[in-house]
Amino acid sequence: MAQSLELGLDTFGDVTRGSDRNPETTAQVIRDLVDQAVLADAVGLDFFGVGEHHRADFAVSAPEVVLAAIAARTRRIRLGSAVTVLSSDDPIRVFQRFATLDALSNGRAEVILGRGSFTESFPLFGFALDRYETLFDDKLDLFSALISRDRIDWQGHTRPPLAGQEVFPKIENGRLKTWIGVGGSPESVVRAARYDLPMMLAIIGGDPARFRSYVDLYARAFAQLEQAVQPIGVHSPGHVGESDETAREEFWPDYKAMHDRIGAGRGWPPLARAAFDQEIARGSLYVGSPETVAKKIATTARTLGLARFDLKYSAGPLPHDRLMSCIGLYGEKVAPMVRDMLA
């Protein structure tokens, strides 16, 4: 873990505010996002992930298209989703789109598959929410077959069976790197192990150490299967500033705006400043100077035995220039510090 920790960035394409303090158009947000990824590549980061959403406050509904544009302007950084909502998509089409991205990027594509904490895609694409679990289980089973075999013989519950079917394009070298996004259920942990897939933990609140039980469960599941444990990653929100105070003051208003907007639909109370500060001090907000953020990432990496840490750097209307500054500091200062701390 110490020598191999990868450091990445995730974004949902949050609709930012412009210099006039009005929301940017979704088109401009997408163009800015590509520039952010280009900077992430330039400062030596390992991964750039783009989330899929279907609502007004997030600009990206087709991550693979955005990632293809990024692939054309970058050379080294790995590119993937954060996450792909497999439950409301077609596994074959998902595989084809990421296989195409893999070709365009010379083998740099990854996919993180999830059930989706936002459910707007289900009615949009005609899927019933009461089949939430069944859809994901069935489609993950098919996707697992797609990444493992050249010809597919498969039968499930949500689509007609496949017999000796080939799917194109083929992955040029090896197989498509596929993670399972896990939000907080033991069943999801065991599922990832059963399919022999890496696990990406979405830790968006509370002490990261509380997820150690999931890491241990993951290891036990692999031991029972008599297989080597796959890598573990963490996705958590944060912001890097020149100092602790600067980072907090830059991040607080826009993070609160995002939290309260989403929370209004989920029954959360408005975010208080004391709770925000507590989450930075003892929870899963990685906000502060480069040294503060680096120390916190290193602690989480040691505690959970991570192979990768992805900072979710976008936060509601937080503007493009602040996102670019955060990316620069994360790549040029935080990443080297973390690697030194873990060496």
Side-chain angles (χ1 to χ4, degrees):
M1 180 270 293
Q3 285 75 32
S4 62
L5 181 70
E6 296 180 343
L7 290 160
L9 291 166
D10 289 338
T11 177
F12 296 164
D14 307 54
V15 173
T16 55
R17 54 184 162 84
S19 56
D20 60 1
R21 303 196 64 80
N22 290 320
E24 292 282 14
T25 64
T26 51
Q28 186 59 51
V29 171
I30 290 169
R31 290 190 289 267
D32 288 343
L33 193 160
V34 173
D35 288 340
Q36 292 158 21
V38 170
L39 176 59
D41 185 52
V43 297
L45 292 168
D46 298 302
F47 175 79
F48 193 86
V50 181
E52 172 198 348
H53 292 85
H54 303 270
R55 46 186 287 147
D57 45 354
F58 299 117
V60 180
S61 60
E64 305 93 333
V65 178
V66 179
L67 292 165
I70 294 168
R73 293 184 55 193
T74 57
R75 293 292 175 266
R76 190 194 56 81
I77 195 166
R78 294 189 62 81
L79 304 170
S81 58
V83 300
T84 292
V85 185
L86 186 64
S87 310
S88 57
D89 211 329
D90 184 313
I92 293 174
R93 292 298 285 144
V94 171
F95 177 84
Q96 289 176 323
R97 296 194 298 264
F98 277 93
T100 302
L101 174 65
D102 198 66
L104 290 168
S105 65
N106 290 305
R108 292 184 283 137
E110 300 185 8
V111 59
I112 304 176
L113 303 174
R115 292 178 294 176
S117 61
F118 294 86
T119 58
E120 289 84 2
S121 63
F122 288 80
L124 182 63
F125 298 121
F127 294 100
L129 277 172
D130 62 6
R131 303 191 74 198
Y132 185 82
E133 295 288 349
T134 301
L135 286 165
F136 186 72
D137 287 344
D138 211 45
K139 294 183 179 190
L140 178 59
D141 192 65
L142 174 53
F143 199 91
S144 177
L146 290 166
I147 63 174
S148 302
R149 301 194 289 273
D150 281 339
R151 289 186 177 271
I152 310 302
D153 292 289
W154 180 88
Q155 185 167 348
H157 307 287
T158 58
R159 58 158 295 148
L162 297 166
Q165 185 70 53
E166 284 192 271
V167 177
F168 304 96
K170 302 289 188 181
I171 298 296
E172 190 171 27
N173 295 298
R175 75 177 200 173
L176 178 66
K177 186 167 185 178
T178 303
W179 300 72
I180 298 294
V182 175
S185 74
E187 293 79 11
S188 296
V189 175
V190 173
R191 182 191 290 118
R194 189 170 73 246
Y195 284 104
D196 193 23
L197 293 174
M199 175 174 67
M200 181 62 67
L201 294 167
I203 306 180
I204 59 173
D207 186 347
R210 67 195 173 93
F211 279 77
R212 183 69 217 187
S213 61
Y214 286 173
V215 171
D216 294 340
L217 174 61
Y218 190 59
R220 290 198 304 274
F222 274 104
Q224 291 177 4
L225 294 165
E226 299 183 341
Q227 294 174 299
V229 179
Q230 287 279 3
I232 298 168
V234 160
H235 153 110
S236 288
H239 179 70
V240 189
E242 292 290 349
S243 68
D244 289 349
E245 182 179 2
T246 298
R248 291 185 186 217
E249 295 312 312
E250 286 178 346
F251 197 62
W252 158 248
D254 298 310
Y255 183 77
K256 175 177 170 58
M258 176 191 68
H259 178 282
D260 292 354
R261 182 178 61 248
I262 295 171
R266 299 188 176 188
W268 302 344
L271 182 64
R273 180 59 191 255
F276 171 78
D277 291 337
Q278 177 71 10
E279 194 64 40
I280 292 171
R282 296 182 177 85
S284 294
L285 268 181
Y286 294 74
V287 176
S289 68
E291 184 175 11
T292 295
V293 173
K295 286 179 178 176
K296 190 164 187 174
I297 291 172
T299 297
T300 298
R302 289 192 196 99
T303 301
L304 300 180
L306 301 184
R308 190 162 83 204
F309 179 91
D310 290 341
L311 184 76
K312 199 274 185 178
Y313 70 96
S314 57
L318 190 67
H320 174 60
D321 60 347
R322 287 188 178 171
L323 299 177
M324 293 288 274
S325 175
C326 172
I327 292 168
L329 290 168
Y330 184 64
E332 293 173 349
K333 295 188 177 182
V334 173
M337 287 183 192
V338 172
R339 292 177 180 126
D340 285 346
M341 291 172 187
L342 297 177

